[in-house]
Amino acid sequence: MSVTPTARRPRSDTATAKPLQKGQQTKAAIVDAALGLATQIGLEGLSIGALAEVMQMSKSGVFAHFGSREELQISVVREYHTRFEEEVFYPAMGAPRGLPRLRALFDNWMKRTSVEIDSGCIYISGAVEFDDRPGPVRDALASSVNTWLSAMRRAVEIAIEEGHLAAGTDAAQMAFEIHAQILALHYEARFLRSPDSVRRALQAFEGIVERYSRAPAAPARTRSSPAAARKSQG
């Protein structure tokens, strides 16, 4: 992701895209079904056998497109990331630079999160499953999340450059706090079923923006007496 007006547009906007070959269509359909399963049972729950049953294909037919369960899991992570970009990141690029764009990013993130309260988030469930399991799947997950958080942090930096946030704002800290609201929302809404969790997350975001919009007060300067001035000069 890149928080710039020239960012790549979603696949759905590409009118000149070449049609997929039959093998590519089949693989895309398998990844789509796998993503649907992963949101329900997690990446670790995916298996060639379960997917073959859903797709009404042979195990060897599914295996031929991926070669291993690990490759299948990585393909699911990449597809989830692509859809996340298309729903959250790219639509926000139409908003003016600075705080309007940052707010659009968060609003789009909230919309997606509201849907995932029922289906589940691959970023969050995957982090639970692979946080202590080094390997390509964990690397793919971490790379996707870091890419998104970097885009959010860059949006904060642009808001600072535009003068919408205080010049001394710690962009990494603000992005961290915004991310924390999404994690809290998932926990409150999906696990605790708190009915007002979405409202509280939105309120928390506005509180973060308000706090970082206020320029820190300049330190008070005390007027020294002539005697004190002469003493300091001596």
Side-chain angles (χ1 to χ4, degrees):
M1 297 178 194
S2 174
V3 188
T4 63
T6 57
R8 176 177 61 84
R9 303 309 303 169
R11 292 174 301 177
S12 57
D13 291 346
T14 308
T16 58
K18 295 181 180 179
L20 296 176
Q21 299 297 321
K22 184 176 180 180
Q24 294 174 315
Q25 291 177 340
T26 301
K27 184 173 182 178
I30 294 173
V31 172
D32 183 68
L35 179 56
L37 277 176
T39 58
Q40 300 174 30
I41 62 178
L43 285 168
E44 188 59 22
L46 286 178
S47 68
I48 299 294
L51 201 50
E53 184 176 345
V54 170
M55 294 295 297
Q56 296 184 335
M57 295 174 60
S58 66
K59 291 183 181 180
S60 60
V62 175
F63 189 84
H65 287 282
F66 298 97
S68 68
R69 186 170 76 111
E70 186 176 81
E71 185 179 339
L72 170 64
Q73 291 170 323
I74 292 173
S75 295
V76 168
V77 171
R78 290 172 178 165
E79 178 63 19
Y80 180 85
H81 182 71
T82 296
R83 296 187 186 188
F84 188 94
E85 286 184 320
E86 292 175 353
E87 293 180 25
V88 178
F89 178 74
Y90 294 117
M93 293 301 98
R97 286 169 56 89
L99 194 52
R101 187 176 296 176
L102 178 61
R103 183 170 275 111
L105 284 170
F106 185 78
D107 288 346
N108 293 343
W109 200 1
M110 284 289 296
K111 290 175 185 176
R112 183 175 178 88
T113 300
S114 297
V115 172
E116 291 180 334
I117 286 172
D118 294 322
S119 63
C121 172
I122 295 296
Y123 286 161
I124 294 177
S125 63
V128 173
E129 293 176 307
F130 291 91
D131 61 341
D132 58 352
R133 296 178 57 186
V137 179
R138 186 190 186 284
D139 291 344
L141 273 167
S143 176
S144 295
V145 174
N146 279 326
T147 297
W148 164 238
L149 294 182
S150 294
M152 176 64 69
R153 184 168 60 251
R154 179 56 185 150
V156 174
E157 291 170 348
I158 292 175
I160 297 170
E161 294 168 4
E162 294 294 319
H164 300 160
L165 297 172
T169 295
D170 183 337
Q173 178 64 29
M174 185 175 182
F176 178 92
E177 293 178 24
I178 293 173
H179 186 206
Q181 302 314 310
I182 295 295
L183 297 179
L185 172 60
H186 269 278
Y187 192 92
E188 290 274 342
R190 188 166 169 80
F191 180 59
L192 298 180
R193 303 295 180 184
S194 302
D196 58 349
S197 53
V198 172
R199 178 186 62 81
R200 291 190 181 280
L202 288 169
Q203 183 175 329
F205 173 77
E206 292 303 328
I208 293 171
V209 169
E210 180 182 359
R211 177 158 48 85
Y212 283 103
S213 297
R214 296 195 298 266
R221 298 181 62 183
T222 58
R223 181 178 298 177
S224 59
S225 65
R230 287 194 298 270
K231 183 176 181 181
S232 63
Q233 292 173 357

